[in-house]
Structure formats: structure tokens, C-alpha cells
Amino acid sequence: MAATLHDVAKLAGVSIKTVSNVVNAYPHVRPATRERVQAAIDELGYQPNISARSLRSGRSGVIGLVLPELSLSYFAELADAVIAEAEKHGLVVLIEKTGASRDHEIAVLSSPRMRLTDGLIFSPLGMGQEDVAHLAVDYPLVLLGERIFGGPVDHVTMRNVEAARAATESLIAAGRRRIAVIGAHEGEVVGSAALRLAGYEEALAAAGIALDPDLVTFTTLWHRANGAASMRELVQSGTPFDAVFGLNDALALGALRVLQEEGLRVPEDVAVIGFDDIEESAFTVPSLSSIDPGRTQIAAEAVEILVRRIGEGGGRPSEPREVLVDFAVVERESTRGPESRAPRVEGARPGSQDSAATGV
Amino acid sequence: MAATLHDVAKLAGVSIKTVSNVVNAYPHVRPATRERVQAAIDELGYQPNISARSLRSGRSGVIGLVLPELSLSYFAELADAVIAEAEKHGLVVLIEKTGASRDHEIAVLSSPRMRLTDGLIFSPLGMGQEDVAHLAVDYPLVLLGERIFGGPVDHVTMRNVEAARAATESLIAAGRRRIAVIGAHEGEVVGSAALRLAGYEEALAAAGIALDPDLVTFTTLWHRANGAASMRELVQSGTPFDAVFGLNDALALGALRVLQEEGLRVPEDVAVIGFDDIEESAFTVPSLSSIDPGRTQIAAEAVEILVRRIGEGGGRPSEPREVLVDFAVVERESTRGPESRAPRVEGARPGSQDSAATGV
DNA sequence: GTGAAAGCGCTAACAT
DNA sequence: ATGTTAGCGCTTTCAC
């Protein structure tokens, strides 16, 4: 049913090689021939068969993106950015979600389902440093996140420690001294939680503020509900505090809600800052200060590096690269005084590029 | 480099057919042979080449999902659900985003990039009823959304009119009479905006409330910022109102924020209800009442129908199906009186299934 | 500048 | 129960 190179060749009265040359924009084709072939292509509505091309050339034009979960805003926005970047390179994106399960993550790395991709952008959450060996795969792979460092692959990550330190410092600069942390992970050494906690501790130390363990709350999950629960516990414990650092925005948002339920004023009584700068944070009441970790830059770098690796082919690969992107402290109402509340609602953030009319 | 059927066959001392039989779990293989082949597979780390399989069999095990944008919570949560459903059928999902552009949507339908998928789940936002002919493609296609009806393809959609009517009725039942609408689309006849507005009008008519055009505000985009802007205009216009129906949650959330900026109490002065029931709505202050439009059911039905169509093969296709999923009114603080505020924060919603530990 | 032919790795007929 | 063989549609030498 679908037209093939042969059909086009027959109709145009040339060989399939010539048709192939036209399809692939090979320069040395006589204009007259090209025109005739193009006419035949249009008439038959010819579409190249990607499987056949891929089988022969070893390239599918598809890259894989492996994420914990799409319904978390951070990852949804990351995926959106990756798809946009991939499109610039003429690539489409196959998304696999792992549910942050270590086993699932490891399985995906050697899954034949992923074999039709030219390379993978891999964002694990369950795997840890001890799994570094699993990353030694025989296809292009770019690692994201902060679960594994120093692996045999290119790695794009954010400046967790510095950014968390900057977040904490912004609270200290506003005169806060009793800064609670929401979302620490017990005993973790690498991983977002550990790194961000380290940044928090650095900031306190630099300001000469003693670390009060009672102010550090733990939760494995980083959803709104966990932030809310931690906050409620902290309030009920009676431990005094004048600021909250949510290790991600969802946690901070959950905490924000509970603070208000409890009748505490934000930021007058308690200042709140998050991490991730998801779109939602600009629209809550009060709007949430946060760290923009450079999400779009991460997506751009990851795709760029992957494309370069794919282009390298099987040749002796160059050294794995470790890329750190820039971050920014985004101050909003939850840390600024109420006097500076204008403009009260921000417009569309520049980060959410090419968002055309989109209902539902 | 990568092992092929031939390599495995040679090592196991059998023919490639036998290896193929083992790989594809063909039942009539002697246990001893199967074991020997499996050993060879393991030893060589054999992975079937999907492109070759796909070229030969015409199936890739990949389905496409075409969406306006992933950074909108509704679509992110929908994509998440589709991926989960697809996985149950052993399929992976290729996501393409269109930015809600009509041209992009039409182009995707005939894009060779999508030709390696076995079928498509297609959620347009730019195309309209006049584009119905573009849906007559020669591969399995399931249409989502409410831009086009009665097309030549299976269609899974929500009960927009009934659900919007129920939302409005819940406000009326709470004693509200001056119900503003945020997000209407000028002159639209089909599409989410038009259908939901129709439901609103039905509810008013049924309750004997005259429609006041001043209460219906228009905005093309359905982001938080648009809801905020519309709300601000309405407040400043001086038009009295005691309730707001946001045609999606993002609009309602933007409105919710402005209402509070303006010193209006929700729900005491103004009750607010949205549409979509995105995860975030349970965690705002106050939490947002909404319509759960049956998102997970939509994903499940869409994948199910697509899988069946793919299975049908080229045979005479059965009639296109039109599937309507169930909705539910989710009442939260923004419409309930404050006396019923407990429990104050909901736990993880059952809708967000299989969300394991997920940081960042 | 264009054509002929080989073969990528696999599945599906058909044979045995 | 297992082997043989013929392509799927394309790209890629290598001729001409």
C-alpha cells in the first residue's frame, strides 16, 4: 500500500539510487532529474520507511528520555524542554518512566525496547553511586541528576550545593536565623537531598549560625503532601523557627499551605523558599521564592551532548564531560516583605517557551 | 559488535529459526534446545534489533502521543497515564508536541517521523471541525479532545457539557446567583471552551437565572496568568459576582490568587470552581473545587482502543467508536463553607498511581 | 550524475 | 520440532 523507493523510481523512470539521493538531499543530482523525482514523490505521497532506514543506517532519529514520572512538574517541564531541543535537531523523543524504581531504571538501560533509539537521556532517582557500573553501556548516554557522579558517561547537572547555599543565604540576609529544612533524606550522601542539605549547612556555618537538628525534617517522598505533613509536625512540636527551606517547590508549597492553615503569616512570621522554580510557584498566594536550577539549560546541554556523541559514531570516544549549569535565586513574596508585592502576578515565564494557545 | 540471531544460532548449534522461536516464546521448542539457546543468548548478551523486526513484521511496539504541550499539568498528567497504560500492553510512547498550532498538528499526521509508530493518540487544539478530513489517515488513530466530532476515527472524550453544568449547579446549590465565567472563547462552537460554556448556560437556564453577558470573560490562552488578568478586569469593572467558574484549573487558580489579592474571601465572598482537577488544586489555599473529567479513564480507553485497532490489521475496519468517560465534581474549600475544612490537606490522590519516591 | 547489486537483522512460508 | 529461504525498504559501495 505505502509507496516505496521502487514505486517512485519506476514512476519517475530512474533508479532507486537516484530517488534516494533526492530524498536525502544529496547535492549531485541534475535539476531536471530532481524535479521529475520530486513530482513522482508528491504524486505517490511517498514517505520513507523509518524502520528500513534505521536498519540499514543504524540511525532512527529517535532519542530516549528516561524519567521517574511525568506528573511531577519538574520532570514535565524538563521533558517539554528536551522535546523542544530535540526537535531543533530533527529528533523525536521516546519517553519511558521508571517510577523512580532502581530495578526499573537498571532494566531500562539494557531494554531492547530502547534499542531503537540512537541514544538516551537518563534521569535516575532510585539508582545510587554503587550502580555506577550499570552506566557503562555501548550506546550514547547522557546522565542527568545527582544520584551518580564520576561515571563513565557525560553528565549534566545543577549546582545543588551552591544553589541551596544561596537560597539559605537569602533567608539569612533577610534576618532569619531559625531556618527549618523540609525534605532531608536520612543518611544520604549524594542525591539532591544530601547536596542541598550540605548547601544549607555551609550557609549556616559561614554566617556563624549553629545547626539545630530539630529544624531539619525528613521525608522520603518530595510531594506537596509530604511538605504539608512535615510542616504540621514541626509546628506542633513547638520548635521555634522563622524561615523554611523546602528542598523542592512541591515540599515548600505543601509547607506554605500548612503555615497559613496554622495562622502564621508568610513572610512576616515565616519566610519560605523552595527549589526548582516550577511554573506554579509564581502563582500561589503568596508567590513562592525559589531557585531556578537552570532546567532549560540542562535540557539544551543534554540534547546537544547526546547529538554530538551520536555523531561521533563508534570511534574512540572522548572523555566523559561533566557539565554544570547556572542557577538563579528567584525572590518572590514568600521571602520578600509585603511592601514589595508589586507587580503582583508575573507574566508567562520566559522559561515556558513556545506555549501557544493551549486550553484544557 | 552487537550479537545477531546468527551469532546465537552458531554458538548454540541450531538454526536462526530456532533462536527466533525461543526469543518469541514460540511454544513448540524442546526444553533442552530452549535451554541451550537461552544460554547462548545470555552469553552473547543478545538483544533483538527492533528496526529489523519492525521492518519485517510491520510492528514497532511504539505508539505516538501528540499533545499541545507537556508543561501544562493536564497534559503532563494525561501523558503520564498514557505511558502507564501503554506499558501494560508492552508498548512504549513517542511524544510529539505541537504547541497547539493547527499547522503543526496537521503536519504531524503525515510526518514520516511518526511512521515508525504502530498508531497514534492525537490530542489537537488548533485544528477544528473543518479539518476533519485530515483525520482520514491509513494507520490506527485515536482522537482525544473536543475540537472535532463525528470524524472517521475512534474518539475518546469527556462529558464537557454535563460536567460544566454540574460544576455550575454545585455553585447554584450553594446559593450563588451571579456566577462569572473565566476563559470563554469568542465565537467558538465546538472546543472545550464552547462546550463548557454551554453547560454553564444550561445550568443557569434550568435554575431560572438570567445570563448576564458581563459575567462571561474571554481569553484565548488558558494559563494561570490569563485567569489572573481576567479576574482583575472583572473586579475592576465593578460588576458584582459571588462565584467564579474557571473553564480549567489553571484559569481558576489564577483567578483565586487575584481574588485574595483584592481582599475578597473565598468562598465566603466568592466561591470558585475549576475544571480538570489537576494535582495542584488539592494543595492551594484555599484548595480548589474542580471537575475530575476522567483523565485516567481517557488514557486507558485510548490505549485500549488503539491496541485493538492495531491488532485488527488491514482488515475491513469496524465503525469508529465514540467513547465518553465519567466525570465527578470534586468539592473542596473554594466552594464549601470554611466550617467543613477538615481534613485540611488531602493525601496523595488515587489518580496519581504508581508514584514512587520522587525527589527533585 | 546515475545505475546495479549487496545486505542490514529479522520474521514468516514452506520444507523436512 | 527444527532448518531453509525469501524478502521487508532502505543505504551504500562500486561501477559506468
Side-chain angles (χ1 to χ4, degrees):
Chain A
M1 26 193 275
T4 75
L5 277 187
H6 282 98
D7 302 329
V8 177
K10 198 179 300 173
L11 182 61
V14 297
S15 82
I16 66 166
K17 177 58 173 37
T18 305
V19 181
S20 176
N21 283 341
V22 171
V23 170
N24 296 299
Y26 181 69
H28 302 296
V29 178
R30 221 171 335 141
T33 317
R34 157 164 279 119
E35 223 165 285
R36 203 148 34 89
V37 171
Q38 189 58 53
I41 288 176
D42 294 343
E43 184 177 337
L44 294 172
Y46 168 76
Q47 302 271 7
N49 179 314
I50 305 287
S51 299
R53 174 180 290 177
S54 160
L55 171 60
R56 185 62 238 223
S57 69
R59 295 277 166 76
S60 62
V62 180
I63 61 173
L65 175 62
V66 181
L67 295 174
E69 200 179 348
L70 260 181
S71 56
L72 283 175
S73 301
Y74 176 79
F75 290 113
E77 295 179 17
L78 178 66
D80 201 80
V82 166
I83 290 174
E85 287 299 323
E87 189 170 15
K88 293 182 191 166
H89 295 269
L91 300 168
V92 287
V93 181
L94 193 63
I95 299 186
E96 175 107 2
K97 58 170 201 155
T98 60
S101 135
R102 173 176 176 272
D103 291 346
H104 198 146
E105 285 167 358
I106 291 174
V108 140
L109 286 176
S110 55
S111 157
R113 303 220 311 255
M114 279 288 157
R115 288 312 228 156
L116 87 169
T117 61
D118 294 339
L120 231 52
I121 296 176
F122 184 64
S123 180
L125 219 44
M127 288 170 66
Q129 193 65 42
E130 70 278 12
D131 297 310
V132 64
H134 288 286
L135 298 177
V137 294
D138 60 356
Y139 52 83
L141 177 67
V142 174
L143 177 69
L144 261 37
E146 25 280 333
R147 298 291 307 173
I148 308 177
F149 289 88
V153 292
D154 300 312
H155 185 195
V156 181
T157 184
M158 53 183 76
R159 299 180 184 275
N160 280 283
V161 180
E162 296 91 326
R165 175 170 177 164
T168 311
E169 282 171 348
S170 80
L171 295 171
I172 295 172
R176 313 292 168 147
R177 287 293 175 276
R178 306 257 326 143
I179 304 171
V181 170
I182 306 274
H185 285 174
E186 196 89 55
E188 193 180 84
V189 207
V190 292
S192 314
L195 297 173
R196 293 176 193 175
L197 188 62
Y200 164 81
E201 291 173 354
E202 277 188 12
L204 290 191
I209 302 174
L211 176 73
D212 180 350
D214 288 346
L215 288 174
V216 179
T217 71
F218 297 89
T219 171
T220 21
L221 290 148
W222 275 10
H223 292 178
R224 289 180 189 81
N226 307 290
S230 292
M231 193 73 255
R232 192 166 296 117
E233 276 173 36
L234 189 63
V235 169
Q236 288 172 355
S237 75
T239 311
F241 61 96
D242 56 16
V244 172
F245 177 21
L247 294 188
N248 81 349
D249 277 5
L251 289 169
L253 258 9
L256 194 57
R257 185 188 148 89
V258 168
L259 285 170
Q260 292 174 89
E261 283 177 2
E262 299 291 343
L264 290 161
R265 294 168 307 157
V266 178
E268 293 83 347
D269 300 324
V270 179
V272 180
I273 192 164
F275 199 115
D276 276 354
D277 194 28
I278 61 178
E279 200 178 337
E280 170 187 351
S281 297
F283 293 92
T284 55
V285 181
S287 58
L288 177 69
S289 296
S290 190
I291 295 292
D292 174 356
R295 186 172 47 246
T296 50
Q297 205 191 333
I298 289 175
E301 291 277 4
V303 172
E304 180 103 12
I305 292 175
L306 187 60
V307 166
R308 203 175 312 142
R309 286 289 181 198
I310 292 170
E312 277 178 11
R316 53 223 154 288
S318 49
E319 276 296 289
R321 291 182 54 192
E322 195 85 19
V323 175
L324 282 168
V325 304
D326 302 324
F327 69 93
V329 178
V330 182
E331 296 234 31
R332 297 204 183 87
E333 294 165 4
S334 68
T335 57
R336 287 191 313 226
E339 69 284 359
S340 56
R341 284 209 176 178
R344 296 189 286 197
V345 169
E346 306 171 22
R349 296 178 44 238
S352 64
Q353 354 125 306
D354 83 353
S355 37
T358 36
V360 180
Chain B
M1 24 192 274
T4 74
L5 277 188
H6 282 98
D7 302 329
V8 177
K10 199 178 300 173
L11 182 60
V14 296
S15 83
I16 65 165
K17 180 60 187 7
T18 304
V19 181
S20 176
N21 284 341
V22 171
V23 170
N24 296 300
Y26 182 68
H28 303 295
V29 178
R30 222 177 328 151
T33 318
R34 157 163 280 120
E35 223 165 283
R36 201 146 39 88
V37 171
Q38 190 56 53
I41 288 176
D42 293 343
E43 182 175 340
L44 295 172
Y46 168 77
Q47 302 272 5
N49 179 316
I50 305 287
S51 299
R53 174 181 290 178
S54 159
L55 172 60
R56 183 62 239 225
S57 69
R59 296 277 166 75
S60 62
V62 181
I63 61 173
L65 175 63
V66 181
L67 295 174
E69 202 180 345
L70 260 181
S71 55
L72 284 174
S73 302
Y74 176 79
F75 290 112
E77 294 178 17
L78 178 66
D80 201 80
V82 166
I83 291 174
E85 287 299 323
E87 189 170 16
K88 293 182 191 166
H89 295 269
L91 299 167
V92 288
V93 181
L94 193 63
I95 299 187
E96 175 107 0
K97 58 170 200 156
T98 60
S101 136
R102 174 175 174 273
D103 292 346
H104 197 146
E105 285 167 359
I106 291 173
V108 141
L109 286 177
S110 56
S111 157
R113 303 219 312 254
M114 279 289 156
R115 288 313 228 151
L116 87 167
T117 61
D118 294 338
L120 231 53
I121 296 175
F122 185 64
S123 179
L125 219 45
M127 289 169 68
Q129 194 66 41
E130 70 278 12
D131 296 311
V132 64
H134 288 287
L135 298 178
V137 295
D138 60 356
Y139 51 82
L141 176 67
V142 174
L143 177 68
L144 261 37
E146 25 280 335
R147 300 290 307 173
I148 308 177
F149 288 88
V153 292
D154 299 311
H155 186 194
V156 180
T157 185
M158 54 183 77
R159 300 180 182 274
N160 280 282
V161 180
E162 295 91 329
R165 178 173 173 160
T168 312
E169 282 171 348
S170 81
L171 295 171
I172 295 172
R176 313 293 167 148
R177 287 296 176 272
R178 308 252 333 136
I179 304 170
V181 170
I182 306 275
H185 285 173
E186 196 91 54
E188 194 180 83
V189 208
V190 292
S192 314
L195 297 174
R196 294 176 193 175
L197 187 63
Y200 163 80
E201 291 172 355
E202 276 188 13
L204 291 191
I209 303 175
L211 176 74
D212 180 351
D214 289 347
L215 288 174
V216 179
T217 71
F218 297 88
T219 172
T220 20
L221 290 149
W222 274 10
H223 291 179
R224 289 180 189 81
N226 307 289
S230 292
M231 193 73 257
R232 193 166 295 118
E233 275 173 36
L234 189 64
V235 169
Q236 287 171 356
S237 75
T239 310
F241 61 95
D242 55 16
V244 173
F245 176 23
L247 294 189
N248 81 350
D249 276 5
L251 290 168
L253 257 8
L256 193 58
R257 184 188 150 90
V258 168
L259 285 169
Q260 293 175 88
E261 285 177 0
E262 299 291 343
L264 291 161
R265 293 169 306 158
V266 178
E268 292 84 350
D269 300 326
V270 179
V272 180
I273 193 165
F275 198 115
D276 277 354
D277 193 28
I278 61 178
E279 198 178 337
E280 170 187 351
S281 298
F283 293 93
T284 55
V285 182
S287 57
L288 179 68
S289 296
S290 190
I291 295 292
D292 174 354
R295 188 173 43 247
T296 48
Q297 205 192 335
I298 289 176
E301 292 276 3
V303 172
E304 179 102 14
I305 293 176
L306 188 60
V307 166
R308 204 174 314 142
R309 286 287 181 199
I310 292 170
E312 277 178 11
R316 51 222 157 287
S318 49
E319 277 297 289
R321 291 183 54 190
E322 195 86 17
V323 175
L324 282 168
V325 304
D326 302 325
F327 68 92
V329 178
V330 182
E331 296 234 32
R332 297 203 184 89
E333 294 165 1
S334 68
T335 57
R336 287 192 312 227
E339 69 284 0
S340 56
R341 282 211 176 176
R344 296 191 286 200
V345 168
E346 308 173 21
R349 294 176 46 237
S352 64
Q353 356 122 305
D354 82 356
S355 39
T358 37
V360 178

